[in-house]
Amino acid sequence: MAFLGEEEEVPGRHAGETEGGGHEAIAAGSSPCASRTSSRGTKPASASGATTDMHVLSPLASPEQQVESGACIEDLDACFNNLVPLNMEISTAAGPEGANCIADFLEDKHIIVTGGSGLCAKVVIHKLLSVQPHIGSLSLVLRSSSKMTAEDRLEEIIESPLLQTLSMDQELLRSKFKAVEGDLVEDNLGIEESLRQDLQERTNIVFSCAASTDFDITYDDAIKINTLGAQKMVEFASTCSNLCSMVHVSAAYVNGHVSGLVDECTFAHNSIDVDYEIGLALGALESNVDAMERVELGTERARLHGWNNTYTFTKSMGEMLVTQMTEKHGLPLSILRPSIVTSALEDPLPGWIEGCRMADPIIMAYGQGKFSCFVSAR
């Protein structure tokens, strides 16, 4: 998984100076965030005239294309130690100084994470606590079911082998977490009103990690989770009075079928009418169209517009809505586009993985002696 790399200082520009030569004035003590300066990238104008700091990072443009970028991302630790809000003034020096800056920024921050029971979100949580054990709090939005409450899910996360590798006192570790019963497909994230208001007042950083990676999901379910769910997270972030940063986890394959050099920037597909696709998907559900037909509908729509499957198509539309909404509200946004996620090389545990996905079944079968060779094309 790749994380946002720190922005380089632009030669000849003073701290706080924007692309156009102006300055962003931040009153001392007016925000829980560190002092701010504009990012090097383009700052899109919102409908109200405000500007949004935005950065996109992904390791790949498509399964076939490696995106050229200014820095080589080699491992999770190196990436995470460079994670910064785009409008935060930092030292551009590599090494411990940069890592200390991140730790200082995260201290006492209140962070909300969606998709907390998923693999990527667990890695994010682990790295946050590794870098700064003294963060303010971690609120995890978790669904309840007839078999498991949100508290039960949180207990599973805390007891996972991943978090047990942290060199933290168990009482301190548990004190950092709060289970928030909610659901991205519901209005107001399905969070009870008084708790939602408390989160809106306290939250400094939002990590939007929830998604469905199922390739065979119905079109309406994929739209609800990957597209509308992403939009609802931005709507929530826009109500947080002390927000410093929003991080949206997208996917490396949201570009669809493209060739050549793909810029690391947000994109807009003018040929995609997102509202129409949402209406089409939800209309099929309301019309009681058979579930298998709704699965096929998603695949057909994805391939019609140039994507391989429903997952990448709905994630792409989700990123489009996130970009539009953050520009509208002037939010500090970072978009992460991880590629295929598989087991850990070394950190936090060699070979650590949850579930059996992607290349893991092949690796496991080879290790068990079920494969003696691999067939390849010359």
Side-chain angles (χ1 to χ4, degrees):
M1 184 174 183
F3 289 84
L4 175 62
E6 70 177 343
E7 291 289 318
E8 298 177 3
E9 183 179 350
V10 180
R13 186 177 302 161
H14 299 291
E17 189 174 350
T18 64
E19 285 284 338
H23 288 74
E24 293 181 332
I26 303 296
S30 63
S31 168
C33 307
S35 61
R36 298 180 174 183
T37 183
S38 68
S39 74
R40 180 179 55 180
T42 302
K43 302 180 71 175
S46 70
S48 62
T51 57
T52 301
D53 287 319
M54 193 177 300
H55 189 95
V56 182
L57 178 67
S58 69
L60 298 174
S62 71
E64 298 82 18
Q65 292 284 336
Q66 175 93 30
V67 171
E68 294 184 19
S69 60
C72 179
I73 304 304
E74 296 182 349
D75 58 55
L76 181 59
D77 284 325
C79 299
F80 196 90
N81 286 338
N82 286 327
L83 174 63
V84 295
L86 293 178
N87 50 11
M88 175 180 167
E89 184 177 356
I90 66 169
S91 166
T92 58
E97 184 178 352
N100 290 338
C101 175
I102 302 305
D104 291 344
F105 171 74
L106 290 173
E107 186 174 7
D108 296 327
K109 292 296 188 295
H110 297 283
I111 303 169
I112 188 168
V113 181
T114 63
S117 58
L119 184 145
C120 284
K122 285 181 180 176
V123 173
V124 168
I125 292 166
H126 177 273
K127 299 307 295 185
L128 286 169
L129 290 170
S130 297
V131 171
Q132 178 52 271
H134 299 292
I135 59 176
S137 65
L138 275 166
S139 299
L140 308 188
V141 180
L142 301 164
R143 289 182 298 171
S144 292
S145 67
S146 58
K147 296 182 180 180
M148 293 189 72
T149 64
E151 291 286 351
D152 292 333
R153 292 185 186 277
L154 176 59
E155 185 64 24
E156 276 195 349
I157 294 168
I158 295 174
E159 292 293 335
S160 67
L162 181 66
L163 293 193
Q164 290 303 308
T165 63
L166 293 168
S167 57
M168 289 179 63
D169 175 77
Q170 283 294 307
E171 184 176 350
L172 176 63
L173 176 63
R174 291 177 180 277
S175 70
K176 299 299 177 184
F177 287 95
K178 181 178 182 60
V180 177
E181 183 176 345
D183 193 332
L184 259 66
V185 304
E186 302 292 338
D187 292 337
N188 296 315
L189 305 180
I191 301 174
E192 187 268 327
E193 184 176 358
S194 61
L195 176 55
R196 189 176 70 254
Q197 291 176 350
D198 179 61
L199 290 171
Q200 289 167 339
E201 292 174 2
R202 293 191 303 114
T203 298
N204 305 127
I205 305 171
V206 173
F207 276 92
S208 179
C209 302
S212 171
T213 58
D214 189 349
F215 289 180
D216 298 320
I217 192 173
T218 62
Y219 195 27
D220 48 284
D221 281 341
I223 284 280
K224 287 179 181 179
I225 300 170
N226 296 336
T227 306
L228 292 176
Q231 181 185 43
K232 289 177 180 179
M233 281 307 301
V234 179
E235 291 172 349
F236 169 80
S238 70
T239 66
C240 295
S241 54
N242 292 303
L243 186 73
C244 300
S245 178
M246 175 170 181
V247 182
H248 172 69
V249 180
S250 185
Y253 310 114
V254 294
N255 289 286
H257 292 292
V258 293
S259 60
L261 181 66
V262 179
D263 290 334
E264 289 295 356
C265 60
T266 56
F267 61 91
H269 290 267
N270 296 328
S271 61
I272 306 298
D273 186 337
V274 178
D275 290 335
Y276 175 80
E277 295 298 328
I278 292 172
L280 183 65
L282 300 184
L285 174 64
E286 294 171 358
S287 300
N288 296 317
V289 174
D290 179 74
M292 185 54 67
E293 291 183 29
R294 301 200 317 270
V295 170
E296 293 172 354
L297 174 62
T299 303
E300 290 171 1
R301 298 303 297 178
R303 292 178 177 172
L304 173 67
H305 292 294
W307 277 263
N308 284 330
N309 49 58
T310 306
Y311 163 66
T312 55
F313 184 43
T314 53
K315 284 291 288 184
S316 180
M317 290 191 288
E319 186 176 307
M320 293 177 199
L321 293 183
V322 166
T323 303
Q324 293 169 5
M325 293 289 291
T326 51
E327 289 178 7
K328 175 182 177 182
H329 295 291
L331 303 180
L333 172 68
S334 303
I335 296 176
L336 312 183
R337 292 176 178 168
S339 58
I340 294 173
V341 177
T342 185
S343 56
L345 177 62
E346 292 181 357
D347 179 55
L349 293 170
W352 178 80
I353 190 69
E354 284 196 342
C356 187
R357 66 194 78 197
M358 307 309 294
D360 300 313
I362 298 175
I363 296 170
M364 289 176 62
Y366 181 76
Q368 294 170 349
K370 296 179 180 179
F371 284 168
S372 59
C373 63
F374 291 91
V375 178
S376 65
R378 286 183 178 270

